[in-house]
Amino acid sequence: MKSSKNRSSRLEDMGMGIPDEVPFRGRLHYLFAQIEKEFELLYLENLNLQDKLDGYVNKESLQSHERTATNQCNVSSSAPLTVVSHEETDTAGTAVVTGSKSLKSKFSSGGKVKASHKIKAQTSRIVSSFKNQSVVSSVMREFCGHKDGVWQVAAKFGQPILGTSSADHTACIWGIESGRCLLQYTGHAGSVNSIKFHHNRDLVLTASGDGTAHIWQAAVNWEVSKKGHSSEEELDDSDEQVEDRDRVDTLRTPLCEFTGPGGHLSVVVAADWLSNMDQIITGSWDRIAILWDVETREPLQPLSGHDHELTHVSAHPTQRLVVTASRDSTFRLWDFRDPISGVSVFQGHTESVTSTVFTRDDKVVSGSDDRTVKVWELRNMRSALTTIRTDSSVNRLAVSNGGTIAIPHDNRQIRLFDLNGQRIARLPRTSRQGHRRMVSSVAWAEEPLLNCDLFSCGFDRRVFGWSVILPKDN
């Protein structure tokens, strides 16, 4: 911390000397403004100090952990391992469904954090840099092929495939082992904003900016999915073999299309399967969600009440419960277990709620543009059990079966917390691995898929499969 003499000298150097004759009230406003500017300078200095400390601690600890981490991760020598330190709360981003999105300024007038929170956060960051390194993570797979930002990623239970939805109007099914696109769906006429696999069948549910939701057949060629390709093989291949190997199967016709009378009047931002798989839920910018019957493709019930556009919908994995998130800073819990459905409103965020997901132990985790993630008990809608404070908006988060929250951020970072709000790790982001633009979505694999525990996607058009070894796994 600089002395008062040094602070006065810095203000004078910046041409901010205090006028001699200023009205008393105006003088107070002036002095407070200078204090605020000085604090921002100190904040930036602390960030630089944190970066230096991280570099020093990581350098000292990497050698001692590298051999153990390599054995535990069981990764190939070509995949760089990074030992990740515990970090303080962080940044994230919201997903607007069409078009690109610029990062918000950390020091914009509407986004300043209270001084007390800044001091506490920076102190915790510096102290946490000296804690033991306990989480090992690295990029195991990269999936490239989309021509625009990727909105959502989903893993298929029991099969080594991955699904992605993109603003390039397509959805893709990828082979995790080969890293290749096995099937491309082109049936939508707008941005594909979400993707969800059927639990038991080879079906996929997608929502789009064209105002519809589609169910389509995700039948993939397993012979192609198992074939990787090395440089030696490429030298031996003929032109016809190379062309055949690089050909991507394309599907244009859905099995079911949810639209028409009683349907949505605007962008469908998200869709999900209900637990019995015979109904789906969709959410739209027209401020309503709709419960649909899959067999008849007819709307069963509109879910209205939100004051602004919906941003996300999510269904409970085993019960007939649905949550809808909105830009009105609330999310709602809809209960379809009884003939007369009930609704509960959860208030606590101060800006758009960007995602809401259920946990295995009947909690709900919500992320918001107000830079917080909150954990709620389903039976208590008045106050959150846990609040995780970050310094940027939060995008579509995910919770593992073990209760680890993966938070994607606008600042290209992915951070992990537990349900009690304790920070676990920050996934590495360097020039050689990690996202280069905002991370829009993450998804946990219910069981490790070829050493990939977590998947992420972003508006750099990249999709990654991560190996994440948590302390309990070491």
Side-chain angles (χ1 to χ4, degrees):
M1 186 68 70
K2 303 292 184 181
S3 66
S4 60
K5 181 177 180 180
N6 290 337
R7 287 197 294 270
S8 300
S9 175
R10 177 181 295 171
L11 291 174
E12 291 174 1
D13 292 340
M14 298 175 67
M16 297 181 180
I18 301 175
D20 294 333
E21 296 181 3
V22 183
F24 179 73
R25 185 179 297 274
R27 183 180 178 83
L28 283 177
H29 285 297
Y30 181 88
L31 291 172
F32 282 128
Q34 303 314 310
I35 292 173
E36 186 176 19
K37 291 178 180 178
E38 174 65 14
F39 189 85
E40 289 184 359
L41 293 174
L42 292 176
Y43 179 72
L44 290 173
E45 288 181 358
N46 280 336
L47 287 179
N48 292 332
L49 177 60
Q50 171 67 26
D51 291 339
K52 293 179 181 179
L53 287 172
D54 285 343
Y56 175 77
V57 174
N58 287 337
K59 182 178 179 181
E60 292 295 323
S61 60
L62 182 58
Q63 293 180 350
S64 61
H65 286 269
E66 186 175 14
R67 180 171 299 175
T68 302
T70 302
N71 294 335
Q72 292 169 339
C73 275
N74 192 25
V75 299
S76 65
S77 59
S78 61
L81 281 175
T82 304
V83 181
V84 184
S85 65
H86 292 268
E87 276 271 318
E88 177 51 53
T89 56
D90 359 295
T91 67
T94 181
V96 179
V97 182
T98 53
S100 62
K101 174 180 179 181
S102 61
L103 297 180
K104 298 179 181 178
S105 171
K106 181 183 291 183
F107 299 112
S108 62
S109 59
K112 291 182 180 178
V113 185
K114 291 183 180 180
S116 60
H117 173 65
K118 284 185 176 180
I119 294 174
K120 181 178 179 181
Q122 290 309 309
T123 302
S124 300
R125 287 167 66 98
I126 294 173
V127 172
S128 66
S129 298
F130 296 98
K131 293 182 179 180
N132 292 330
Q133 313 294 316
S134 55
V135 177
V136 179
S137 63
S138 63
V139 172
M140 302 299 295
R141 296 286 190 277
E142 181 173 355
F143 308 88
C144 296
H146 280 295
K147 298 178 180 179
D148 206 337
V150 186
W151 283 118
Q152 190 162 12
V153 61
K156 172 69 170 175
F157 176 72
Q159 295 183 16
I161 57 175
L162 190 70
T164 56
S165 61
S166 171
D168 65 7
H169 297 193
T170 71
C172 291
I173 304 298
W174 306 82
I176 295 178
E177 183 176 1
S178 65
R180 295 180 54 195
C181 179
L182 307 178
L183 177 65
Q184 184 182 64
Y185 180 68
T186 61
H188 284 293
S191 169
V192 186
N193 302 320
S194 75
I195 184 168
K196 289 284 186 176
F197 283 103
H198 190 283
H199 289 179
N200 306 315
R201 300 172 59 188
D202 293 333
L203 299 176
V204 175
L205 172 64
T206 50
S208 173
D210 61 14
T212 70
H214 290 179
I215 293 176
W216 42 279
Q217 186 77 41
V220 299
N221 186 337
W222 287 105
E223 292 301 321
V224 174
S225 70
K226 295 176 182 178
K227 292 180 181 178
H229 50 83
S230 65
S231 57
E232 294 181 359
E233 291 173 347
E234 290 178 353
L235 293 175
D236 297 333
D237 285 345
S238 65
D239 292 341
E240 291 182 358
Q241 289 175 320
V242 171
E243 183 180 353
D244 181 69
R245 186 185 59 210
D246 293 338
R247 184 183 296 117
V248 176
D249 291 337
T250 301
L251 178 66
R252 297 181 177 85
T253 306
L255 295 175
C256 303
E257 181 173 353
F258 300 89
T259 185
H264 290 294
L265 303 176
S266 186
V267 168
V268 182
V269 70
D272 199 1
W273 303 88
L274 265 68
S275 58
N276 54 11
M277 296 291 143
D278 60 0
Q279 295 173 353
I280 65 167
I281 186 75
T282 57
S284 169
W285 281 5
D286 61 12
R287 304 184 183 184
I288 66 171
I290 297 178
L291 184 68
W292 300 80
D293 184 272
V294 171
E295 184 176 355
T296 65
R297 311 178 195 180
E298 295 293 329
L300 297 176
Q301 182 179 347
L303 310 179
S304 58
H306 283 291
D307 295 330
H308 295 290
E309 297 93 334
L310 270 64
T311 57
H312 195 238
V313 297
S314 181
H316 193 282
T318 59
Q319 303 183 54
R320 293 176 56 80
L321 299 172
V322 167
V323 284
T324 58
S326 169
R327 293 181 185 171
D328 62 11
S329 77
T330 72
F331 69 92
R332 294 175 177 240
L333 172 67
W334 307 83
D335 190 343
F336 299 107
R337 292 174 295 185
D338 297 325
I340 301 178
S341 60
V343 59
S344 302
V345 181
F346 288 73
Q347 298 177 337
H349 290 290
T350 58
E351 294 186 37
S352 299
V353 182
T354 55
S355 66
T356 47
V357 296
F358 289 96
T359 70
R360 290 289 178 180
D361 55 352
D362 289 339
K363 294 182 176 64
V364 175
V365 180
S366 61
S368 171
D369 274 349
D370 65 9
R371 309 175 181 186
T372 66
V373 173
K374 294 179 181 287
V375 181
W376 308 76
E377 175 65 48
L378 288 182
R379 293 179 293 274
N380 179 15
M381 64 182 183
R382 294 189 176 183
S383 60
L385 298 175
T386 302
T387 297
I388 300 170
R389 302 192 181 277
T390 71
D391 55 14
S392 180
S393 301
V394 176
N395 286 318
R396 292 183 176 179
L397 51 78
V399 182
S400 71
N401 290 337
T404 300
I405 309 171
I407 306 175
H409 295 298
D410 268 355
N411 72 341
R412 305 165 291 174
Q413 301 287 358
I414 302 171
R415 287 180 166 85
L416 308 181
F417 286 80
D418 65 22
L419 291 173
N420 295 319
Q422 296 297 315
R423 62 187 182 274
I424 297 175
R426 178 185 65 185
L427 299 192
R429 198 196 68 78
T430 66
S431 59
R432 293 191 294 177
Q433 63 177 329
H435 289 282
R436 298 171 183 172
R437 295 184 64 184
M438 80 166 191
V439 189
S440 50
S441 170
V442 290
W444 290 98
E446 294 191 33
E447 57 183 13
L449 297 172
L450 301 173
N451 291 327
C452 293
D453 308 279
L454 179 69
F455 300 93
S456 65
C457 65
F459 254 64
D460 54 4
R461 309 178 186 181
R462 308 170 85 186
V463 181
F464 291 117
W466 299 83
S467 171
V468 180
I469 299 183
L470 301 176
K472 64 182 179 180
D473 300 325
N474 288 338

